[in-house]
């Protein structure tokens, strides 16, 4: 199982600290660089990497180390230096641990996980054998076949790190799926869950009883024909596949959200801006955040951890520099109110589109601010180029982590159709709906947006049937 070791330090590791860390395998280890110099590798005599070390990153957002692996972090700002050991090589894992331990010792910091960074002594690694390329050619990929790239991660929370983001891009560019293998008990961040495309990409969970299963569907998996794929039941037919589901997926773990009364308020919306030099992105997201929490987002980045203080102007600069290629960002809130958003910015014929998926977590004795939803819809519809918005409430973990167990669907609370979408529909279709509750008009009567509330008990899943009826009606079906 691949080991990621991270040094958290109040000071930036200088050249001497990094050099001391790189000498953890003795002076005869080869050093190479990749990623345009952003990744340094310790290699065996054949040039194959034992340990890959990313450039130190300055984290200016509190709570990210606690969110992603439960570490006690230094006061912000602090430096995050990550080393990744080659899969299945014990000496490589010790090299990564010694590297992090030396860097932490020389800069007054700590290393995670603590048990991996207990020694600063030189690690004997003569004669260590490694798997050949092509897997080693991509630092984040452990197994490469003609169908999938497999990433094996031994972390409590699998985040959309720069390593993993590179693996997603490399797999997509080569026409392969990406399969993430974790031990039982690991969780995903919402960013990783939402980034996983369909088959053959999947989250593969190791399990004592069933071997492996899909962390999102529970289907029992086996390694066959160059990838993890579902086990076929001997009596399966095309109409009734009878896919076995892992027992662990169906069980409710101790302290799981269904017993703790935890919930998530999920908001997804899309805006379309005119493409001009005055455009500043992130305004609608900040509006939602302030309305629901009373404060702005805490930080953002192009990968996890989110290391930069919230700044719509800087986010816009990055998206503009990458255009016409799409951009993806993660946005996080303060530790007191868990909140994570994924923002995808795309240049289209209509303009610049922002697709946002946002969730806030609430404990058993915390009430989501559902009473502000009509005002939130009014502000978005009148001050931002909103096209549509959907708000849901679901029983799920307060910390927003995605477990490898069944989580029930949320229920829709409200749907908003922006003024441009309303105007594009023929006649009064948007206003005359099959629902018992009629839409509320938002904004000026000449160019109104429409707010569709879904009344009733949020635990009643029948709200989805109303939502589906509404969507079919709006599409003219």
């Amino acid at each position: 199982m691949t080991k990621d070791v991270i040094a958290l330090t109040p000071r930036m590791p200088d050249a001497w600290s990094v050099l001391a860390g790189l000498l953890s395998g003795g002076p005869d280890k080869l050093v190479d660089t990749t990623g345009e110099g952003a990744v340094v590798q310790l290699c065996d005599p054949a040039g194959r990497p034992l340990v890959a070390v990313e450039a130190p990153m300055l984290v200016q957002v509190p709570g990210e180390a606690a969110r992603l692996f439960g570490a006690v972090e230094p006061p912000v700002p602090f430096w995050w230096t990550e080393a990744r050991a080659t899969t299945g090589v014990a000496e490589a894992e010790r090299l990564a641990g010694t590297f992090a331990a030396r860097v932490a010792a020389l800069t007054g910091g700590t290393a995670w996980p603590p048990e991996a960074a207990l020694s600063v002594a030189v690690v004997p690694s003569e004669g260590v054998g490694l798997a050949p390329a092509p897997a080693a050619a991509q630092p984040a990929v452990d197994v490469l076949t003609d169908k999938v790239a497999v990433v094996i991660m031994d972390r409590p929370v699998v985040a959309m790190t720069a390593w993993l983001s590179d693996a997603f891009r490399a797999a997509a560019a080569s026409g392969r799926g990406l399969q993430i293998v974790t031990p039982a008990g690991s969780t995903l961040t919402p960013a990783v869950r939402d980034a996983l495309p369909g088959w053959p990409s999947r989250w593969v969970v190791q399990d004592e009883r069933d071997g492996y299963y899909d962390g999102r569907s529970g289907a029992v998996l086996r390694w066959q024909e160059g990838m993890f794929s579902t086990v076929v039941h001997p009596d399966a037919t095309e109409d009734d596949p009878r896919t076995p589901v892992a027992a662990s997926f169906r069980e409710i773990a101790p302290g799981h959200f269904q017993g703790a009364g935890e919930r998530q308020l999920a908001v997804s919306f899309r805006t379309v801006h005119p493409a001009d030099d005055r455009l500043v992105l992130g305004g609608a997201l900040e509006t939602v955040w302030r309305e629901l929490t009373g404060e702005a987002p805490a930080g953002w980045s192009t990968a996890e951890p989110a290391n930069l203080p919230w700044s719509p102007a800087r986010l816009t600069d990055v998206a503009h520099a990458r255009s016409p290629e799409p951009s993806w960002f993660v946005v996080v809130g303060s530790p007191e109110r868990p909140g994570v958003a994924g923002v995808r910015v795309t240049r289209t014929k209509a303009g610049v589109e922002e697709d946002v998926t946002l969730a806030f977590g609430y404990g058993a004795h915390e009430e989501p601010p559902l009473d502000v939803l009509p005002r939130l819809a009014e502000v978005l519809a009148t001050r931002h180029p909103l096209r549509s918005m959907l708000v849901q409430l679901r029983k799920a973990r307060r910390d927003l982590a995605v477990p490898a167990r069944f989580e029930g669907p949320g229920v829709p609370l409200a749907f908003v159709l922006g003024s441009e979408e309303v105007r594009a529909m023929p006649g009064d279709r948007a206003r005359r709906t099959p629902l018992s509750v009629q839409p509320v008009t938002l904004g000026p009567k000449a160019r109104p947006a429409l707010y569709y509330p879904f009344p009733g008990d949020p635990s009643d899943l029948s709200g989805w049937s109303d939502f589906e009826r509404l969507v079919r009606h709006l599409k003219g079906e």
Side-chain angles (χ1 to χ4, degrees):
M1 188 60 71
T2 299
K3 293 292 184 181
D4 297 335
V5 187
I6 301 167
L8 306 176
T9 60
R11 304 193 309 273
M12 180 180 179
D14 58 23
W16 291 110
S17 301
V18 174
L19 179 60
L22 292 174
L23 290 174
S24 57
D28 57 338
K29 282 290 164 285
L30 302 177
V31 176
D32 194 10
T33 61
T34 186
E36 298 181 351
V39 178
V40 179
Q41 297 175 326
L42 280 176
C43 304
D44 71 354
R48 294 169 297 194
L50 286 160
V51 177
V53 180
E54 275 207 340
M57 174 174 54
L58 181 63
V59 177
Q60 304 175 67
V61 180
E64 284 297 88
R67 178 175 75 92
L68 298 181
F69 50 84
V72 177
E73 62 189 33
V76 293
F78 62 89
W79 292 87
W80 178 305
T81 307
E82 188 161 340
R84 179 177 173 83
T86 296
T87 301
V89 182
E91 290 80 1
E93 296 174 7
R94 289 197 289 270
L95 278 172
T98 300
F99 169 85
R102 288 186 175 190
V103 169
L106 291 171
T107 54
T110 59
W112 178 91
E115 65 274 11
L118 296 177
S119 173
V120 295
V122 171
V123 178
S125 55
E126 291 78 9
V128 173
L130 295 176
Q138 223 292 337
V141 173
D142 298 293
V143 178
L144 195 66
T145 73
D146 60 345
K147 297 177 180 177
V148 297
V150 180
V151 176
I152 308 173
M153 302 191 76
D154 187 9
R155 297 174 78 137
V157 181
V158 177
M160 185 59 79
T161 61
W163 304 96
L164 192 55
S165 180
D166 287 344
F168 269 105
R169 284 192 292 267
S174 64
R176 294 177 171 88
L178 184 72
Q179 299 190 336
I180 302 172
V181 182
T182 71
S186 291
T187 61
L188 306 183
T189 64
V192 177
R193 175 198 60 198
D194 296 341
L196 275 173
W199 181 91
S201 298
R202 62 173 79 240
W203 175 20
V204 181
V205 181
Q206 294 180 328
D207 184 65
E208 291 184 353
R209 287 174 287 184
D210 291 295
Y212 299 92
Y213 69 91
D214 189 301
R216 300 182 67 185
S217 69
V220 177
L221 306 174
R222 294 287 183 272
W223 180 263
Q224 44 197 358
E225 298 181 357
M227 64 179 179
F228 285 99
S229 55
T230 54
V231 173
V232 179
H233 193 279
D235 299 326
T237 64
E238 186 173 338
D239 295 329
D240 184 10
R242 299 188 183 184
T243 302
V245 176
S248 298
F249 183 80
R250 297 192 299 265
E251 293 173 350
I252 299 177
H256 194 44
F257 67 83
Q258 291 185 357
E262 298 180 355
R263 291 169 291 177
Q264 294 176 10
L265 184 63
V267 183
S268 55
F269 63 91
R270 182 170 69 97
T271 60
V272 180
H273 307 265
D276 60 48
D277 294 337
R278 296 171 296 175
L279 173 61
V280 178
L281 301 170
L285 174 59
E286 182 171 333
T287 294
V288 173
W289 217 290
R290 288 187 182 277
E291 289 288 334
L292 294 177
T293 69
E295 60 185 10
W300 71 284
S301 183
T302 57
E304 293 178 299
N307 65 311
L308 300 171
W310 174 245
S311 171
R314 292 189 64 184
L315 184 148
T316 302
D317 289 342
V318 173
H320 185 269
R322 293 182 172 183
S323 184
E325 295 299 317
S327 297
W328 177 87
F329 306 99
V330 61
V331 181
V332 300
S334 64
E336 292 74 24
R337 170 56 60 221
V340 179
V343 182
R344 184 168 297 278
V345 179
T346 311
R347 182 73 167 89
T348 68
K349 293 180 179 179
V352 180
E353 297 189 7
E354 283 183 283
D355 288 287
V356 179
T357 303
L358 166 64
F360 295 105
Y362 298 88
H365 303 293
E366 297 175 311
E367 288 299 324
L370 305 185
D371 57 321
V372 308
L373 294 181
R375 184 177 74 243
L376 169 61
E378 179 87 29
V379 173
L380 283 181
T382 56
R383 301 182 188 177
H384 300 278
L386 179 71
R387 293 301 177 93
S388 63
M389 179 175 74
L390 175 64
V391 183
Q392 305 174 56
L393 187 65
R394 60 193 301 260
K395 295 179 180 180
R397 294 169 53 138
R398 183 183 187 273
D399 63 6
L400 306 177
V402 181
R405 287 182 171 84
F406 174 75
E407 287 189 312
V411 292
L413 300 179
F415 178 70
V416 181
L417 203 61
S419 59
E420 290 295 325
E421 303 296 311
V422 171
R423 189 176 66 162
M425 290 189 178
D428 288 339
R429 179 188 296 171
R431 294 175 180 83
R432 299 182 180 275
T433 73
L435 305 181
S436 58
V437 177
Q438 293 303 302
V440 177
T441 300
L442 306 175
K445 293 183 178 180
R447 296 174 63 87
L450 295 177
Y451 175 86
Y452 302 86
F454 293 91
D457 184 354
S459 64
D460 184 0
L461 296 181
S462 64
W464 275 117
S465 61
D466 289 339
F467 177 71
E468 291 170 356
R469 287 170 59 208
L470 174 62
V471 171
R472 288 197 300 268
H473 169 76
L474 295 175
K475 290 181 177 180
E477 298 176 356

